[in-house]
Amino acid sequence: MDFKAWFGRWLIAVLVSLPMSPVLSQEGQHKEGILVVNAQWRDTGALSLSWQSKNALRSGTVDIHRRLLGERGGASWWPLAEGIRHRRVYVDETVKAGKAYEYRVIHTDGDDVQVGYWLAGRQVDAAPERGVVFLVVDSTFESALTQELERFVDDLVGDGWQVVQRTVPRHNKTELASNMTHASELRDWLALEAEQAGNVTRALILVGHVPVVMTGQVRPDGHNPQPHESDLYYADLGQRWAQNAKGELLQNRLPDLRIDMHVGRIDFAPVSAGDQTIELAHLKHYFDKNHRWRHGQLGDLRNAYGQSGHLSVEITLLNNIVGPERVSEGGHHDVGVTQPYLWGVDFGHWKGSEYPGAGIKPVFAINFGSGKQHFAKQGNPMIQLLAQEDYTLTVGWGARPAWWLQRMALGGTIGDVHFATVNNGPWYFGDYQQAVDYYPMGNYIWRAPVWVNLLGDPTLHAFPLAPPKGLISGIDNGTAVLRWRQADADDVLGYQVFRLNTDGGGFEPISDLLEDNYFEDASWGSGSRYMVRSYGLKQVYAGSFYTWSQGVYTTPLSAPSDTSAL
């Protein structure tokens, strides 16, 4: 590397490690507005893109760019069509089955620029393995949550994740230096484990009141600049964060400009008024509803709701996930209580006391509003929404920046959404349009923000596939025999059997895709544990994708005799 390039990197690293002026915490509102995009698949396999503008589109031009899902950076978008005039439809006949494509549609009319995004694909491939998840648990609840955590680990493994666990001391709000030491030790451990995991998707789940770190002096809600809670500290594994003698972090931006893993927090201490009995009850209940969602017991939901001009980007992107006809206008406290929803996007009530017992029913939610991003404050409304009785499993504070929800349209996780939102372009001295993955569309650019946290399990995804039911097993004449009831779902194509590798290699497939609900294993060993997963093709508004269900488990003890359940 030449001296000029080295010096440029060094200068950027130094500058982003320094506290940022409160005024600069808002980088300015950009000219791009929202272009509402829609798409339909034709019988020929082509994709018909259409768009709606705030004007009649009688002037100006439309440019369409495309890239494969997973590509990053402004340079990854390549022109598909440019200079389109006087029409609102473009048909892409070059799409191929098995691929997921992101589209960017830009309408330019003088100084008026509007941008819209869309994710689409047909028969998009799926892999049975998702990556590595680090499960970090507050030591206060390690023994009290034994059963729930064992089931949760089974659910994570049964969703294709390799799980690495660790217990850490509880957050200490009175001894900041000691708390920061525990947080730093956890981060160092995560960096080592992540390096050993290699080039795979990595996710971090914080369970309980894992040490909370505060950083910077920023005001993303427009109020007084102050330090913000940041679980991103644990997910940024690059440069070391600067701190003062008191153990306070100083960064207003991510020092490595991006996070390296998905991260989410399941923590009900801020809504338990110091009563750990209440906190434990919330945790147990969360893992119950998490399990029910993963196994399809809460339904295959295809609807959403949204309101608030602050969240117009997120509300528009709901169209990509469920279709525009299935997005209702309304908020958490009116429409959101009427029936279960896949997604709910709303400013929401500002008082945390308005949430307990409200019966709000989105599985995934945005809950915007001043001060709500401070999740560690007592009575926090975002955590109160996460504590809803039957449904809500993840909550984010949207708008600043906008969350790129379309990444869930073809089976992506909420962790994918959060990761793409935080990592939307590095901060450097240049044109932001050349750096960002997604234009801000009328919102502040907020590059490398430290306050964008996800509450809940980051590995959850939409459109769960029904797993096999009633799995039983036994030994018959020296052979392990497995039977199950077929999933009652048209989108299930077959089943696959996995067996736990006793050498510590996790579950490995031991069958091809099966149409029957029966399997024999003559090479079983003492203590063999089996997992069976459904495999299917989900038809969704954005197209279709192959996917795996949660795994269900069995350990054969004797010959199966009760076949009435089959």
Side-chain angles (χ1 to χ4, degrees):
M1 180 184 299
D2 61 31
F3 175 79
K4 183 177 180 181
W6 173 87
F7 180 78
R9 288 192 178 186
W10 174 84
L11 180 60
I12 290 173
V14 170
L15 289 174
V16 298
S17 70
L18 296 175
M20 181 175 54
S21 164
V23 175
L24 293 179
S25 65
Q26 296 184 167
E27 294 189 45
Q29 202 161 19
H30 292 276
K31 62 182 180 180
E32 296 88 2
I34 299 173
L35 186 68
V36 179
V37 177
N38 197 358
Q40 299 290 331
W41 287 98
R42 296 189 172 184
D43 293 340
T44 61
L47 182 70
S48 178
L49 285 162
S50 59
W51 48 91
Q52 298 177 7
S53 173
K54 64 184 180 182
N55 56 42
L57 289 178
R58 292 172 180 166
S59 59
T61 59
V62 170
D63 298 332
I64 299 175
H65 299 84
R66 191 184 77 180
R67 68 179 182 180
L68 292 174
L69 180 64
E71 296 181 330
R72 296 195 66 249
S76 65
W77 295 98
W78 60 274
L80 189 64
E82 295 184 305
I84 298 175
R85 293 180 178 271
H86 311 305
R87 57 189 173 98
R88 304 183 187 182
V89 176
Y90 174 82
V91 179
D92 183 5
E93 297 180 346
T94 67
V95 291
K96 296 181 180 179
K99 305 290 185 181
Y101 299 93
E102 285 192 292
Y103 292 87
R104 183 177 69 190
V105 184
I106 304 175
H107 173 240
T108 304
D109 187 3
D111 293 333
D112 185 13
V113 180
Q114 298 167 67
V115 185
Y117 293 93
W118 196 264
L119 175 64
R122 298 185 76 177
Q123 302 174 356
V124 177
D125 296 331
E129 298 180 358
R130 291 187 178 271
V132 175
V133 60
F134 305 108
L135 181 60
V136 177
V137 181
D138 170 0
S139 60
T140 307
F141 299 115
E142 181 182 17
S143 59
L145 285 173
T146 297
Q147 293 183 349
E148 287 79 10
L149 289 174
E150 287 179 352
R151 183 183 62 186
F152 186 49
V153 169
D154 272 350
D155 282 342
L156 290 168
V157 172
D159 193 28
W161 295 93
Q162 178 187 345
V163 181
V164 181
Q165 292 183 251
R166 181 181 174 91
T167 302
V168 297
R170 184 175 176 84
H171 174 74
N172 190 332
K173 66 179 180 180
T174 60
E175 297 290 339
L176 294 182
S178 175
N179 187 72
M180 194 63 229
T181 297
H182 293 148
S184 179
E185 290 173 349
L186 172 57
R187 184 171 177 271
D188 290 343
W189 175 81
L190 287 167
L192 289 174
E193 291 292 333
E195 183 177 1
Q196 292 180 10
N199 187 26
V200 298
T201 299
R202 296 164 294 193
L204 169 63
I205 305 176
L206 307 172
V207 177
H209 209 33
V210 172
V212 179
V213 300
M214 309 289 289
T215 186
Q217 289 285 331
V218 290
R219 52 186 185 98
D221 57 0
H223 295 282
N224 294 329
Q226 55 188 297
H228 274 67
E229 296 89 335
S230 185
D231 286 337
L232 306 186
Y233 168 78
Y234 296 116
D236 175 6
L237 304 177
Q239 300 177 27
R240 187 164 298 278
W241 292 52
Q243 60 183 10
N244 60 24
K246 298 179 182 179
E248 298 168 333
L249 295 174
L250 305 178
Q251 270 78 11
N252 292 331
R253 302 182 189 272
L254 297 172
D256 204 34
L257 306 180
R258 56 177 285 114
I259 56 175
D260 301 293
M261 65 175 73
H262 302 178
V263 56
R265 172 180 288 262
I266 307 168
D267 181 3
F268 296 98
V271 298
S272 301
D275 189 334
Q276 291 187 8
T277 302
I278 296 175
E279 186 179 348
L280 177 62
H282 279 309
L283 286 168
K284 286 177 174 286
H285 184 66
Y286 179 88
F287 286 117
D288 285 344
K289 62 184 181 180
N290 184 296
H291 178 76
R292 292 197 296 270
W293 170 254
R294 288 175 172 274
H295 288 259
Q297 297 171 17
L298 299 183
D300 185 358
L301 303 176
R302 304 294 182 96
N303 54 357
Y305 64 83
Q307 69 178 7
S308 173
H310 294 284
L311 299 162
S312 54
V313 174
E314 289 92 338
I315 293 170
T316 300
L317 295 174
L318 291 175
N319 296 340
N320 200 172
I321 301 175
V322 300
E325 299 301 320
R326 290 181 174 267
V327 180
S328 301
E329 184 176 356
H332 297 317
H333 300 274
D334 42 56
V335 172
V337 303
T338 59
Q339 66 183 70
Y341 287 88
L342 180 63
W343 259 102
V345 173
D346 183 24
F347 195 95
H349 203 287
W350 65 275
K351 291 177 63 176
S353 59
E354 294 295 320
Y355 291 82
I360 304 170
K361 298 179 178 65
V363 174
F364 304 96
I366 294 290
N367 194 9
F368 185 58
S370 295
K372 291 181 183 178
Q373 75 275 20
H374 292 286
F375 66 76
K377 288 191 174 181
Q378 283 298 310
N380 179 271
M382 290 205 305
I383 298 183
Q384 293 285 22
L385 181 54
L386 191 71
Q388 294 299 295
E389 184 174 355
D390 293 316
Y391 286 91
T392 310
L393 291 172
T394 71
V395 182
W397 189 76
R400 300 183 181 184
W403 286 45
W404 302 103
L405 305 185
Q406 79 278 8
R407 296 179 72 93
M408 292 184 73
L410 289 172
T413 67
I414 184 63
D416 293 328
V417 169
H418 179 244
F419 189 81
T421 299
V422 174
N423 289 348
N424 187 25
W427 180 71
Y428 73 113
F429 301 104
D431 185 355
Y432 77 94
Q433 293 176 328
Q434 301 301 316
V436 298
D437 285 287
Y438 308 104
Y439 292 170
M441 295 163 67
N443 292 272
Y444 297 108
I445 186 67
W446 304 115
R447 281 182 269 188
V450 294
W451 60 86
V452 183
N453 299 290
L454 174 66
L455 302 181
D457 177 0
T459 69
L460 294 174
H461 47 89
F463 317 121
L465 185 70
K469 299 179 180 180
L471 175 64
I472 59 175
S473 63
I475 307 303
D476 187 5
N477 294 323
T479 297
V481 180
L482 285 70
R483 299 178 186 270
W484 58 89
R485 298 198 308 275
Q486 294 189 1
D488 185 19
D490 294 336
D491 46 20
V492 173
L493 302 176
Y495 308 90
Q496 191 163 28
V497 180
F498 301 77
R499 186 179 62 213
L500 183 62
N501 186 327
T502 56
D503 295 332
F507 282 88
E508 298 178 347
I510 59 171
S511 79
D512 295 328
L513 197 64
L514 306 171
E515 294 183 3
D516 297 328
N517 56 339
Y518 174 89
F519 182 75
E520 294 184 357
D521 179 24
S523 60
W524 71 284
S526 178
S528 289
R529 192 179 190 214
Y530 296 90
M531 176 176 70
V532 183
R533 301 176 74 182
S534 303
Y535 180 74
L537 180 65
K538 279 285 180 182
Q539 302 288 342
V540 295
Y541 192 81
S544 61
F545 64 96
Y546 291 101
T547 187
W548 295 87
S549 77
Q550 284 289 153
V552 294
Y553 300 90
T554 184
T555 300
L557 300 175
S558 61
S561 57
D562 181 10
T563 60
S564 61
L566 301 176

